[in-house]
Amino acid sequence: MHTTTPPAFNWHQPVDAAQRDAAAAYLTQARQHTWQGNEWPSIISTQPDEALAVIGAGTMGTGIALCALAAGYVTHLFDVNNEALDRGVARIHASLNNALARGKLTPEAHHERLTRLRTHTDWQCLQNCDVVIEAVFENMRIKQEVMAQLHAHCPSHTLLISNTSTLDIDVMASACGRPDQVLGMHFLTPAHITPLVEVVKGRLTSDMSLSRAREVAKRLGKLPVLTGNCWGFIGNRMFEGYLREVDALQLQGVRAERIDHALEQFGFALGPCRTLDMAGTDLVSQVLTERALKFEQDPAYRRITYRLAELGRLGHKSGRGHYVYDGKQRHPDPDLQRICAEEAARFGIAQNPDVSDAHIVQQCVQPLIDEGQRVLAEGMASRASDIDLVWVLGYGFPAERGGPMYMSTSHP
């Protein structure tokens, strides 16, 4: 399953000051290469983009709306469901109020941002938007319906952006009559904080649309990394192999808290089981269901994630996932071991929980390197350092280690 580890590589060795400095210099140079890369069209749009709409008032949509408000856009938040829209507006108010209370916003800036917020449940109200970013449920049929509505109701110049995390931009674009103006912009969670976006080029996306999207990303305060159109793009395509091994380790009896501890000691900002609980096992399972339409999957594939969703153990939102939650406090859940053991017995998987932390790290991180090399070979990323930026800035990979591709060149 795994390729041979480079001989100079030590999976669990602490990073010393010289290595940390070298990785920091590498990532600084990587940012410069990304900003200055010739993969971006040099076309300059004469169309001023001042009104931005976000479709979908969920957590991701409201995060993007907060970015747009901070960037000075007239921001339209749209949802077909009044209650969902009200919850989204409440999240925006809570975030701005919190920033005000902490001194991050002046009263004047707080008031000014709220005066630029518009809310709608009627598609007709999007007739004056220059840019639209959809952030609806990760389902192709729903996203195609949204694209059709946007094509019907938005001006001819409107840039249509999908915040899809995995789905095919070309299939999505086929649902509207302007595929040259459709592209992806994958925001990482939390959208208003994470400093990077993947910009996904479709087969028919025009150079002008790419150029405009880059400027939108820049105005939103994001570093844009261009990626080709493949399942999961750069980040989530690689993330899938990492999470696949997390599920596999749990099936063999390794506890969630041990997996998280090993990878957090390695330097990840958050262990994978905690990450899944934050995302919601129901949403992750939906992504896996869509993935199964494209790729053949073994019956035991990602079985723990599926099973937790089936049991209503959705993570933070339900109070129980890989852990039990008491407010913001999390506690190991001994019942999870029984669930994992039952699933392992169902598929004839032997128990082998007594593995080292170094083994856990290698089993989970090596697939990142392997898939990253395939992404690069297929031309889905412009350079290896772009992949490292996605992982360090978007997925919490330890910056002191430079990123998975940097590590694959035998850096310890």
Side-chain angles (χ1 to χ4, degrees):
M1 182 179 294
H2 309 297
T3 59
T4 304
T5 306
F9 195 91
N10 187 322
W11 288 97
H12 219 57
Q13 178 178 319
V15 178
D16 63 30
Q19 293 164 340
R20 188 178 297 109
D21 289 346
Y26 164 77
L27 291 171
T28 296
Q29 188 175 58
R31 286 183 178 88
Q32 294 172 350
H33 289 161
T34 298
W35 276 119
Q36 299 167 3
N38 60 11
E39 68 270 20
W40 294 104
S42 57
I43 298 171
I44 299 175
S45 173
T46 58
Q47 173 66 47
D49 293 328
E50 297 300 336
L52 185 150
V54 180
I55 311 301
T59 302
M60 183 60 75
T62 53
I64 296 170
L66 283 165
C67 285
L69 290 168
Y73 285 105
V74 175
T75 304
H76 301 259
L77 184 63
F78 176 95
D79 203 295
V80 294
N81 184 296
N82 273 303
E83 291 181 359
L85 185 60
D86 289 343
R87 288 193 297 270
V89 171
R91 277 192 290 268
I92 289 173
H93 278 262
S95 179
L96 294 177
N97 290 343
N98 183 50
L100 178 64
R102 291 186 296 116
K104 301 295 185 180
L105 271 185
T106 65
E108 294 77 16
H110 177 275
H111 173 75
E112 193 271 336
R113 290 187 190 186
L114 287 176
T115 63
R116 285 188 280 104
L117 179 63
R118 315 280 190 271
T119 59
H120 312 289
T121 57
D122 184 348
W123 295 102
Q124 297 283 351
C125 296
L126 302 177
Q127 292 179 348
N128 296 314
C129 293
D130 303 308
V131 178
V132 178
I133 303 175
E134 72 78 15
V136 301
F137 195 59
E138 189 75 348
N139 174 276
M140 181 60 81
R141 180 186 60 79
I142 295 173
K143 288 184 182 288
Q144 285 184 312
E145 290 173 357
V146 168
M147 282 295 169
Q149 290 283 3
L150 295 177
H151 176 57
H153 293 97
C154 292
S156 60
H157 73 274
T158 304
L159 187 63
L160 306 181
I161 298 173
S162 171
N163 178 53
T164 179
S165 58
T166 58
L167 299 177
D168 191 322
I169 292 296
D170 293 329
V171 174
M172 209 177 299
S174 69
C176 84
R178 53 177 104 172
D180 59 311
Q181 291 168 227
V182 177
L183 51 83
M185 188 177 282
H186 177 215
F187 290 77
L188 286 306
T189 305
H192 60 299
I193 294 174
T194 308
L196 178 142
V197 293
E198 294 177 297
V199 177
V200 188
K201 180 181 180 180
R203 183 172 57 87
L204 298 177
T205 305
S206 71
D207 283 353
M208 178 60 78
S209 294
L210 274 184
S211 182
R212 287 177 66 191
R214 186 189 187 204
E215 290 306 307
V216 170
K218 183 178 180 181
R219 183 167 170 181
L220 292 174
K222 308 298 184 183
L223 175 68
V225 171
L226 188 63
T227 172
N229 183 28
C230 59
W231 187 91
F233 319 123
I234 295 172
N236 279 343
R237 174 173 167 176
M238 294 169 65
F239 201 27
E240 182 57 27
Y242 174 81
L243 294 177
R244 175 195 69 217
E245 297 304 323
V246 172
D247 269 36
L249 284 164
Q250 289 186 94
L251 280 173
Q252 73 180 55
V254 183
R255 293 178 179 274
E257 56 267 29
R258 274 216 59 216
I259 297 170
D260 281 347
H261 174 78
L263 287 156
E264 287 169 6
Q265 287 294 110
F266 175 74
F268 271 96
L270 204 64
C273 298
R274 293 174 64 191
T275 299
L276 287 165
D277 280 359
M278 285 185 65
T281 56
D282 53 338
L283 297 181
V284 178
S285 292
Q286 171 60 30
V287 170
L288 291 172
T289 298
E290 291 279 342
R291 184 182 187 276
L293 301 176
K294 188 175 181 66
F295 301 103
E296 185 176 343
Q297 296 179 171
D298 184 90
Y301 189 85
R302 300 294 305 278
R303 187 56 205 152
I304 299 304
T305 299
Y306 276 122
R307 186 59 181 149
L308 293 182
E310 291 166 359
L311 293 170
R313 298 172 61 117
L314 309 182
H316 283 253
K317 69 181 77 173
S318 69
R320 175 166 287 184
H322 292 83
Y323 297 91
V324 176
Y325 294 91
D326 177 15
K328 294 184 178 181
Q329 297 296 315
R330 75 179 189 282
H331 308 282
D333 185 355
D335 199 39
L336 178 61
Q337 287 306 104
R338 175 187 59 78
I339 293 168
C340 293
E342 288 174 354
E343 293 300 305
R346 178 181 171 192
F347 294 104
I349 296 171
Q351 298 290 279
N352 180 29
D354 298 323
V355 295
S356 68
D357 282 0
H359 177 95
I360 292 170
V361 171
Q362 180 168 357
Q363 184 166 334
C364 295
V365 175
Q366 185 65 55
L368 293 179
I369 295 171
D370 296 344
E371 197 63 40
Q373 290 170 339
R374 285 188 282 269
V375 165
L376 200 59
E378 293 171 16
M380 295 295 110
S382 300
R383 55 189 68 84
S385 59
D386 281 1
I387 296 173
D388 286 331
L389 286 172
V390 168
W391 269 85
V392 170
L393 298 180
Y395 289 80
F397 194 95
E400 63 187 9
R401 297 184 183 273
M405 307 310 292
Y406 181 77
M407 287 177 58
S408 72
T409 58
S410 300
H411 293 76

